[in-house]
Amino acid sequence: MWRDSRRLQIFCLLMAVLAIVVLVHNFFQLEHMDDDTLSGSSWITENNVQRSLSQTTKTTRKPYCAYKQQALSKRDQAEQESLLAAIQWPKPPDGKIAFVQSTDPARSDFVIVKPSGFLRVGDQLEVLVRVKDFQGKPKQYGGDYLQARIHSPLLKAGATGRIVDCRNGLYKVFFTLLWPGEVKVSVSLVHPSEAVQVLQRLREERPDRVYFKSSFKSGRYSETTECNVCLPGDLPICNFTDLYTGEPWFCYKPRKLSCASRISHAKGGYQKGLLTQEESLFFQSDVNIKRPILSSGPDSVIVKPKAFTDSSSMDRAEDPAVSPSGYYYEDQWMSRTHWIHHFNNTDDITKCLQGKVIHLFGDSTIRQWFEYLTALVPDLVEFNLGSPKNVGPFMSVDLKHNILLKFRCHGPPIRFSTVFSSELRYIANELNGIVGGRNTVIAITIWSHFSTFPVEVYIRRLRNIRRSIIQLLDRSPKTLIVIRTANVQELGPEVSLFNSDWYSFQLDSVMRKMFSGIAVHFVDAWEMSLAHYLPHNLHPKEVIVKNQIDAFLSYVCPLQT
């Protein structure tokens, strides 16, 4: 009997060991699915990476968008609803609209509303824009995205206008006349209302139309997977949501490596085939993207100098929301919100920045400031941090005058080439680590890389940055903080779907509202790029950057008035 009991114990022990072996084997299989397709000692080729990315983006399942699941406080929810309502765009009538019924800039026109008397500097000029379709019929609804400016080419002068959509096919444009002489009016159709509706649909339904990737590596073995704020399907993911700000970011989990083995982030590419054949007709470079609308009569007016009795401080309005915020005259930006000193001498720039630590946070448009100052200031020398070109972080030092200039890109989403994972920093977190003080200067821009996402994603990012700014100013009130706004750029059929001026305009409007009433200053890069005579460019030319720097430094070293 004892022998039978012994045999039973041995049998039970063997069964337990077998069960453990089976369990471990199954677990291993789940963790290392498709092991036979990859060799642990080989590198993944770029073709395999692209094939893997394209396979994951072809799924028809709805994306996983964590920002929709994050609860907001009542105050944040009310603010978000108010912001979204403020940028709500007029919609065309319900139903499908044929291309021939869409706005034709060649058949549309504008007229200058004749004033009752002479026009003088400081007066308002009104222009009426009448849009028509490709059949020459007046449109009965609004929603077109227009841009307008006044300019005097010989004076290298220019300013933007304020556009009012009457929502019946008519638009009113109001210009403040800011210099004497002959002033010409220019109006352009950026997108017809039908195209704007397509852009809205893409923003809400296809936030994955720009995709990103991250590399994971252990030893000689590496994998690359797709990343985004929203990921389609239900594959295993790595959750890289920031612990401090709650900013969501996800990557598909590598098949063999852990999430902790991520080494880099990069832009993956742009999705194709986003439009139907009919929708693509609304995006044609020589037809309806940034095309001029001509005047049916005179396109210029003569402006007389202001009367001697007029106030000499007319162009220094107290309201920071004044429109326009400034104007060009002889290629120099004249702000209407603060006095600008034009730093034409490098010694003046050095004197202004002496003893300062300048932090530049954002994208490549503020990296231009870093590059401009480093190239211009004689004793400011870039310190090689071994960072990837055009990515950063970057640092320049002037030991003689105790100047430290730093640039760091904002956290994802960012469409840069390879960024090391250790250098993926959120602006809010960086601000929390700055002591601040009278010798600390901070400049921020963040807009372009958010154009493909629902506005709620952008609002969340700005809310975190704003909170950190308020905390920084609370502990160090003398810290100077400057916000560089968005700017216009050259557009074509493809760029319009990802980085249209309409997207940028909407984000810029949100940003200005969210930072109003806070002790920050603005460099109005939007008006500086739109009012200038040079062609629009995502990265404005040096003459425009120079004027941005003048406005920036005028906050750092304000003129004594």
Side-chain angles (χ1 to χ4, degrees):
M1 186 173 178
W2 178 85
R3 185 177 300 172
D4 292 340
S5 176
R6 181 71 172 174
R7 288 176 180 173
L8 182 61
Q9 289 178 353
I10 294 174
F11 177 77
C12 291
L13 180 63
L14 289 174
M15 291 299 294
V17 170
L18 181 61
I20 292 172
V21 170
V22 171
L23 181 64
V24 170
H25 176 73
N26 289 342
F27 179 78
F28 183 83
Q29 288 284 72
L30 289 172
E31 277 291 299
H32 302 282
M33 200 173 295
D34 297 330
D35 274 8
D36 56 333
T37 63
L38 294 169
S39 170
S41 61
S42 63
W43 297 89
I44 291 182
T45 66
E46 187 66 22
N47 289 336
N48 289 336
V49 170
Q50 294 300 331
R51 190 181 304 116
S52 174
L53 292 174
S54 63
Q55 286 173 350
T56 58
T57 56
K58 285 180 181 177
T59 178
T60 57
R61 288 172 290 185
K62 289 185 177 181
Y64 169 65
C65 294
Y67 71 89
K68 294 181 179 180
Q69 318 300 328
Q70 295 173 339
L72 297 176
S73 67
K74 289 184 178 180
R75 177 183 293 181
D76 289 345
Q77 184 65 41
E79 180 189 40
Q80 179 169 290
E81 291 174 359
S82 175
L83 290 167
L84 295 176
I87 62 170
Q88 189 172 13
W89 203 260
K91 293 184 177 180
D94 293 334
K96 199 171 184 179
I97 298 175
F99 170 69
V100 294
Q101 296 175 302
S102 66
T103 305
D104 180 6
R107 287 179 169 82
S108 304
D109 63 13
F110 73 82
V111 292
I112 296 175
V113 178
K114 291 185 178 180
S116 56
F118 292 115
L119 288 169
R120 294 186 179 275
V121 171
D123 289 344
Q124 291 280 314
L125 178 68
E126 182 180 342
V127 170
L128 182 66
V129 183
R130 304 173 294 198
V131 298
K132 299 178 181 179
D133 62 21
F134 283 86
Q135 298 171 319
K137 297 178 181 179
K139 293 188 69 175
Q140 303 301 315
Y141 55 89
D144 298 296
Y145 178 41
L146 308 178
Q147 290 174 349
R149 70 185 185 106
I150 51 174
H151 55 108
S152 297
L154 294 179
L155 297 174
K156 293 186 177 180
T160 63
R162 181 173 61 89
I163 300 171
V164 176
D165 186 349
C166 300
R167 305 196 178 194
N168 58 1
L170 300 178
Y171 299 82
K172 292 181 179 180
V173 188
F174 298 94
F175 298 99
T176 301
L177 301 172
L178 297 165
W179 63 88
E182 184 180 9
V183 176
K184 296 175 64 68
V185 176
S186 292
V187 179
S188 297
L189 173 74
V190 182
H191 295 300
S193 55
E194 296 77 17
V196 172
Q197 295 307 302
V198 176
L199 295 178
Q200 283 186 301
R201 176 183 65 79
L202 291 176
R203 184 173 66 186
E204 299 304 319
E205 298 178 5
R206 295 301 306 271
D208 62 335
R209 63 190 185 280
V210 174
Y211 58 93
F212 305 85
K213 60 185 180 181
S214 274
S215 292
F216 299 78
K217 184 179 178 183
S218 178
R220 289 182 53 82
Y221 177 76
S222 67
E223 291 186 54
T224 299
T225 70
E226 184 182 346
C227 306
N228 219 318
V229 172
C230 301
L231 287 177
D234 53 4
L235 296 175
I237 60 170
C238 293
N239 186 349
F240 294 115
T241 298
D242 184 66
L243 296 177
Y244 299 98
T245 63
E247 293 288 352
W249 192 254
F250 304 93
C251 297
Y252 287 121
K253 188 181 183 301
R255 284 176 284 190
K256 286 188 173 182
L257 300 176
S258 69
C259 296
S261 62
R262 183 177 65 150
I263 61 169
S264 66
H265 162 93
K267 179 184 72 176
Y270 299 90
Q271 297 288 1
K272 305 293 184 181
L274 296 170
L275 305 180
T276 65
Q277 187 172 358
E278 291 183 358
E279 287 176 335
S280 65
L281 297 176
F282 300 138
F283 297 91
Q284 301 181 68
S285 292
D286 297 326
V287 178
N288 50 17
I289 297 179
K290 283 205 174 181
R291 299 300 299 165
I293 294 176
L294 303 180
S295 173
S296 60
D299 64 352
S300 64
V301 295
I302 302 299
V303 181
K304 294 182 176 294
K306 57 188 173 184
F308 180 75
T309 56
D310 286 352
S311 170
S312 60
S313 62
M314 180 278 301
D315 60 346
R316 291 294 179 269
E318 293 182 3
D319 183 4
V322 66
S323 178
S325 67
Y327 60 98
Y328 283 106
Y329 191 79
E330 295 181 347
D331 240 358
Q332 292 189 325
W333 184 252
M334 318 295 287
S335 174
R336 300 179 70 220
T337 60
H338 71 288
W339 293 95
I340 285 189
H341 171 49
H342 298 287
F343 292 79
N344 298 320
N345 189 320
T346 57
D347 290 341
D348 292 339
I349 300 178
T350 299
K351 183 179 178 181
C352 175
L353 296 180
Q354 186 166 358
K356 297 284 193 296
V357 177
I358 305 99
H359 300 268
L360 306 178
F361 295 113
D363 55 33
S364 57
T365 60
I366 207 166
R367 189 186 68 221
Q368 286 187 284
W369 290 15
F370 177 89
E371 294 165 346
Y372 179 89
L373 289 170
T374 300
L376 186 66
V377 180
D379 297 313
L380 195 58
V381 179
E382 183 174 355
F383 186 85
N384 186 3
L385 298 175
S387 302
K389 184 180 179 182
N390 297 332
V391 174
F394 300 124
M395 181 172 71
S396 291
V397 181
D398 181 346
L399 295 176
K400 182 179 179 181
H401 301 96
N402 195 25
I403 301 171
L404 177 61
L405 176 66
K406 303 168 75 175
F407 163 80
R408 179 177 290 280
C409 67
H410 63 72
I414 187 154
R415 300 191 292 264
F416 278 7
S417 57
T418 303
V419 183
F420 297 129
S421 298
S422 59
E423 299 296 350
L424 286 175
R425 312 278 183 85
Y426 290 95
I427 294 175
N429 292 339
E430 293 296 296
L431 294 175
N432 291 338
I434 294 175
V435 175
R438 65 172 67 250
N439 291 320
T440 300
V441 180
I442 297 169
I444 299 170
T445 193
I446 183 166
W447 54 282
S448 179
H449 298 256
F450 286 78
S451 58
T452 56
F453 295 95
V455 180
E456 293 89 336
V457 176
Y458 186 62
I459 292 174
R460 179 182 185 87
R461 183 63 57 92
L462 292 189
R463 187 183 294 120
N464 282 320
I465 294 172
R466 183 179 62 185
R467 183 183 300 113
S468 294
I469 286 176
I470 292 172
Q471 292 171 351
L472 174 56
L473 292 175
D474 186 50
R475 65 179 181 267
S476 301
K478 295 188 181 297
T479 305
L480 177 70
I481 300 178
V482 178
I483 307 292
R484 181 205 184 276
T485 73
N487 59 260
V488 297
Q489 64 173 304
E490 181 183 7
L491 295 179
E494 186 172 12
V495 174
S496 294
L497 305 183
F498 305 99
N499 244 35
S500 167
D501 280 357
W502 182 80
Y503 288 136
S504 302
F505 176 69
Q506 291 241 300
L507 297 181
D508 196 59
S509 300
V510 167
M511 184 274 295
R512 292 173 191 255
K513 290 181 181 296
M514 291 188 69
F515 284 100
S516 65
I518 301 176
V520 299
H521 304 280
F522 291 93
V523 171
D524 200 335
W526 184 270
E527 289 195 13
M528 287 184 175
S529 56
L530 182 55
H532 204 270
Y533 55 82
L534 284 176
H536 297 172
N537 196 318
L538 175 61
H539 300 106
K541 297 300 182 182
E542 185 172 314
V543 63
I544 299 177
V545 175
K546 194 267 184 193
N547 279 288
Q548 293 175 4
I549 293 294
D550 283 349
F552 168 61
L553 294 179
S554 295
Y555 289 124
V556 180
C557 304
L559 287 171
Q560 300 299 320
T561 61

